[in-house]
Amino acid sequence: MIEMYQLRQLVAIADCGNLSKAAEQLHLSQPALSRTMKNLEDLLGVPLFERGKNKIEMNENGRLAVEYARKVLEDADLLVERVRAFDESQRTISVCSCAPSPLWMLIPALSELYPNMKISSEMKYHDNFLNELTKKKCHLLVMPEAVDNPEIKCIKLFEEQLYLSVPPAHPLSGYFEISLQDLEGETMLLFHDLGYWSHIHNEMKNTRFIFQQELDSLTELIKVSALPAFTSSLIIPHDTTPNRIYIPITDESAKVTFYCCYRKDDAKRFKELKIYLQNRNQELPPKK
Amino acid sequence: MIEMYQLRQLVAIADCGNLSKAAEQLHLSQPALSRTMKNLEDLLGVPLFERGKNKIEMNENGRLAVEYARKVLEDADLLVERVRAFDESQRTISVCSCAPSPLWMLIPALSELYPNMKISSEMKYHDNFLNELTKKKCHLLVMPEAVDNPEIKCIKLFEEQLYLSVPPAHPLSGYFEISLQDLEGETMLLFHDLGYWSHIHNEMKNTRFIFQQELDSLTELIKVSALPAFTSSLIIPHDTTPNRIYIPITDESAKVTFYCCYRKDDAKRFKELKIYLQNRNQELPPKK
DNA sequence: ATGCCTTACGTTATACGTAATTATT
DNA sequence: AATAATTACGTATAACGTAAGGCAT
């Protein structure tokens, strides 16, 4: 039976051109290589080299064998790589969310429900966002709308409502509600990476935004400046910034319902999550 | 480094369902198998089985690994098979001829020119006969016409002219020449497998043919019967049948020039053959 | 003289077998 | 009891290294 070490040694010779260099590369003695090749030729019943008294050159058979051997070795390496990657993916739950806030609730919940699993998360949003799920780039996908797809299970998470945060001295602070149009011309503080919410400031062409990469820097800036900022129903209950007035934004686009989705072939795996989220939905509405 | 024996043992377990049966199939002890699998799992850093106290079951990792392992083993077998086949094809010259007579001359010539080569020959003819050569089904192809193709070298072999062979008592025996049309209504003896020449009797709808599979039987029949038969310029010089008159057939289709063709990438290999055939062509015409 | 391959022989790694152990049906 | 897997330990195959030899450049 043909063995890996024979193939490895064969391709090393092809790569190095002669036995000595190949032996060196393989951390092997020349005689060992010489014998392995002789054995391989015996096994195949076919010469692989033209042999001179003190030189050896690969023939056509040899070159063909090398071609196949490379493929076999490559596929064997691929086996190792793919099996490891598969096992890894079996041990991790990867979440992809269209906005930051769902992750604040989902990641702790997943950590508790699946204590043996690694949780990896990512926040992004783009056209055909659902592909992230269907192309198996992630296990859980948080969408800004319900998904109607027979392959996909979709569970409501919560609503998020955008608010304007202004200091009491700000001209807008007297409003009970406000529209995005009212903010035209303002200069506003904003977190850099908002995923789905980015469409809001992308549409406000006459408003200046000061983006902050770091969330801590942002909250600090909000505290010390008099600039208006966006905040949301998810942030306000935990917001410790003093002297801020929160004004709900009335536009339809300032309100979104997030849904947590997974492929139905993962249904078994996410049974606990499903129950957890459904219970949560039954408990929460009364509190509203 | 992953080894073949590990893969072979892994797929055997997948095929047999448990270690004992797999061990039996592999002519191996169960402990050996058990250890190999443990080593394989260590190598991959990934479990391949769900282990009970006295049962072992393949998990998802295992099934994936088996899938890849089968491919690797299959490709390794393919390597052996293909390299052997390639070597074999390098050691044989396979000739395909559109008619029998060119082989009578070519095969002895090839045997002499290439004493270390196996000569394999085949007689057949069909539409797109040239494909036999271009698709590398053979090394040498004898065509009934010159080939104009930049990939193919084409050397004239000889002409063959069909004759009618009749006993002196036959009504046609007085003719100096004859056309195929004159043979309508006759009953004729014919060799079964004539390749290119088959188009002749296929076009003679009103003539009965008595086909013979065996060449010896045919010559015997010709000797003892008074029936007319086809013969050719290539056969007559060696024909020992007594009391036969040979009448040339005047039709254009009763005359053909054979050409020996090979792919130009085989030019080096057939250098000797080319010289041999070209010398032969220069010597023969004067004898005509 | 140096580089490159081969032959011969001794060594060692490791894949394998046997026997014993544990657990399940 | 019978079946199945694992553990422990000894064995043997064969891959490898060292030493030596031949033949080129």
Side-chain angles (χ1 to χ4, degrees):
Chain A
M1 298 255 88
I2 200 160
E3 297 298 332
M4 289 288 186
Y5 76 95
Q6 297 171 316
L7 303 183
R8 281 190 278 265
Q9 295 183 19
L10 180 68
V11 308
I13 295 171
D15 290 340
C16 299
N18 66 45
L19 289 196
S20 341
K21 285 178 194 164
E24 194 178 346
Q25 185 192 289
L26 291 163
H27 306 291
L28 218 76
S29 68
Q30 287 134 355
L33 247 185
S34 181
R35 259 181 298 111
T36 303
M37 290 304 104
K38 196 172 281 291
N39 289 340
L40 185 56
E41 288 177 304
D42 287 350
L43 174 78
L44 294 171
V46 151
L48 299 173
F49 302 91
E50 300 291 341
R51 290 155 193 281
K53 273 296 170 182
N54 72 337
K55 71 162 180 275
I56 192 170
E57 196 178 1
M58 210 167 269
N59 65 18
E60 288 295 317
N61 293 332
R63 279 186 276 274
L64 185 66
V66 167
E67 201 178 301
Y68 280 98
R70 282 191 204 280
K71 187 172 162 47
V72 171
L73 293 173
E74 198 178 295
D75 285 351
D77 287 345
L78 215 62
L79 181 153
V80 177
E81 189 182 308
R82 293 283 171 82
V83 170
R84 282 177 182 159
F86 179 76
D87 181 70
E88 176 71 11
S89 84
Q90 291 282 91
R91 300 182 179 286
T92 71
I93 295 171
S94 101
V95 189
C96 189
S97 174
C98 67
S101 60
L103 293 175
W104 304 338
M105 162 258 166
L106 263 179
I107 291 173
L110 289 167
S111 299
E112 191 151 327
L113 288 167
Y114 304 96
N116 298 324
M117 292 282 184
K118 238 186 267 183
I119 315 294
S120 84
S121 71
E122 194 183 4
M123 207 283 294
K124 62 175 170 181
Y125 191 65
H126 53 71
D127 298 339
N128 249 324
F129 190 52
L130 196 59
N131 270 358
E132 299 286 321
L133 194 60
T134 52
K135 306 274 187 203
K136 307 204 175 185
K137 304 277 184 184
C138 62
H139 299 113
L140 292 174
L141 188 71
V142 179
M143 291 283 292
E145 63 196 3
V147 171
D148 184 27
N149 184 317
E151 303 285 310
I152 291 173
K153 176 69 181 174
C154 191
I155 304 168
K156 182 182 170 182
L157 285 176
F158 50 72
E159 290 183 357
E160 184 167 24
Q161 163 72 52
L162 283 195
Y163 283 73
L164 186 71
S165 156
V166 289
H170 195 277
L172 294 170
S173 64
Y175 288 70
F176 289 106
E177 55 179 45
I178 205 165
S179 80
L180 292 171
Q181 219 177 338
D182 299 329
L183 301 172
E184 295 279 345
E186 295 281 342
T187 295
M188 298 188 62
L189 293 169
L190 208 56
F191 186 54
H192 164 258
D193 199 2
L194 289 169
Y196 169 75
W197 288 122
S198 295
H199 76 92
I200 296 279
H201 65 253
N202 286 340
E203 286 162 13
M204 298 171 73
K205 298 297 180 197
N206 298 319
T207 306
R208 274 193 61 212
F209 293 99
I210 299 172
F211 292 98
Q212 275 309 113
Q213 293 273 358
E214 297 291 321
L215 195 58
D216 289 342
S217 315
L218 181 64
T219 53
E220 199 55 38
L221 263 179
I222 291 173
K223 272 182 199 161
V224 302
S225 82
L227 292 173
F230 280 121
T231 185
S232 93
S233 51
L234 271 294
I235 300 171
I236 295 168
H238 311 99
D239 197 347
T240 58
T241 317
N243 292 322
R244 279 275 166 170
I245 310 287
Y246 302 114
I247 309 165
I249 296 167
T250 51
D251 303 59
E252 262 305 304
S253 61
K255 190 172 161 181
V256 70
T257 307
F258 293 111
Y259 291 84
C260 179
C261 309
Y262 53 83
R263 293 184 304 277
K264 288 209 172 140
D265 51 283
D266 275 340
K268 196 172 165 191
R269 185 181 207 175
F270 292 125
K271 202 176 130 194
E272 295 90 339
L273 178 66
K274 181 186 163 195
I275 293 167
Y276 172 83
L277 292 177
Q278 285 173 345
N279 288 344
R280 196 171 172 284
N281 284 339
Q282 286 172 349
E283 286 164 17
L284 278 188
K287 292 187 184 175
K288 192 175 179 176
Chain B
M1 300 258 86
I2 200 160
E3 296 298 332
M4 290 288 186
Y5 76 95
Q6 297 171 316
L7 303 183
R8 281 190 278 264
Q9 293 183 22
L10 180 69
V11 308
I13 294 171
D15 290 340
C16 299
N18 66 41
L19 290 196
S20 341
K21 284 178 193 162
E24 194 176 349
Q25 186 192 291
L26 291 163
H27 306 290
L28 219 75
S29 68
Q30 286 131 354
L33 246 185
S34 181
R35 259 181 298 111
T36 303
M37 290 302 105
K38 196 173 283 289
N39 289 341
L40 185 56
E41 288 177 304
D42 288 348
L43 174 77
L44 294 171
V46 150
L48 299 174
F49 303 92
E50 300 291 342
R51 289 155 195 282
K53 273 297 174 184
N54 76 335
K55 72 159 179 279
I56 193 170
E57 195 178 359
M58 210 167 270
N59 65 18
E60 288 296 317
N61 292 333
R63 278 186 277 275
L64 184 66
V66 167
E67 201 177 299
Y68 280 97
R70 283 193 204 280
K71 187 173 162 44
V72 172
L73 293 172
E74 200 176 293
D75 285 352
D77 287 345
L78 214 63
L79 181 153
V80 177
E81 190 182 305
R82 292 285 171 82
V83 170
R84 282 177 181 158
F86 178 76
D87 182 71
E88 177 70 13
S89 85
Q90 291 282 90
R91 301 183 177 285
T92 71
I93 295 171
S94 101
V95 190
C96 189
S97 176
C98 67
S101 60
L103 293 174
W104 303 338
M105 163 257 169
L106 262 180
I107 291 174
L110 289 168
S111 300
E112 189 151 328
L113 287 167
Y114 304 97
N116 298 323
M117 292 281 183
K118 238 187 262 181
I119 315 294
S120 85
S121 71
E122 193 183 4
M123 207 285 291
K124 62 175 170 181
Y125 192 65
H126 53 71
D127 297 341
N128 248 325
F129 189 52
L130 195 59
N131 270 357
E132 297 287 321
L133 193 60
T134 54
K135 305 273 188 207
K136 306 201 176 189
K137 304 277 184 185
C138 63
H139 300 111
L140 293 174
L141 189 71
V142 178
M143 293 282 293
E145 61 198 1
V147 170
D148 184 26
N149 185 318
E151 304 285 308
I152 291 172
K153 175 71 182 173
C154 192
I155 305 169
K156 182 182 171 183
L157 285 177
F158 50 71
E159 289 182 357
E160 184 166 25
Q161 161 73 54
L162 283 195
Y163 283 72
L164 185 72
S165 156
V166 289
H170 194 278
L172 294 171
S173 65
Y175 287 68
F176 288 106
E177 56 180 40
I178 205 164
S179 81
L180 291 170
Q181 217 178 340
D182 299 330
L183 301 171
E184 296 278 347
E186 294 284 338
T187 294
M188 297 186 67
L189 293 170
L190 208 55
F191 187 53
H192 163 257
D193 198 1
L194 289 169
Y196 168 75
W197 288 122
S198 296
H199 76 93
I200 297 279
H201 65 253
N202 286 340
E203 285 162 15
M204 298 171 72
K205 298 298 180 195
N206 297 317
T207 306
R208 272 193 62 212
F209 293 100
I210 298 172
F211 291 99
Q212 274 310 113
Q213 293 272 1
E214 298 290 323
L215 195 59
D216 288 344
S217 315
L218 180 65
T219 51
E220 197 56 36
L221 262 179
I222 292 173
K223 272 184 199 163
V224 302
S225 81
L227 290 174
F230 279 122
T231 185
S232 92
S233 52
L234 271 295
I235 301 171
I236 293 169
H238 313 99
D239 196 349
T240 57
T241 318
N243 290 324
R244 279 274 167 171
I245 310 286
Y246 303 116
I247 308 165
I249 296 167
T250 52
D251 302 60
E252 262 307 301
S253 61
K255 189 172 161 182
V256 70
T257 306
F258 294 112
Y259 292 84
C260 178
C261 309
Y262 53 83
R263 293 185 303 277
K264 287 210 174 140
D265 51 283
D266 275 340
K268 196 172 162 191
R269 186 181 207 174
F270 291 126
K271 201 177 130 192
E272 295 90 340
L273 177 66
K274 180 186 163 196
I275 293 167
Y276 171 82
L277 292 177
Q278 286 173 344
N279 287 345
R280 196 172 173 281
N281 284 338
Q282 285 173 348
E283 289 165 14
L284 278 188
K287 294 186 182 173
K288 194 175 179 180

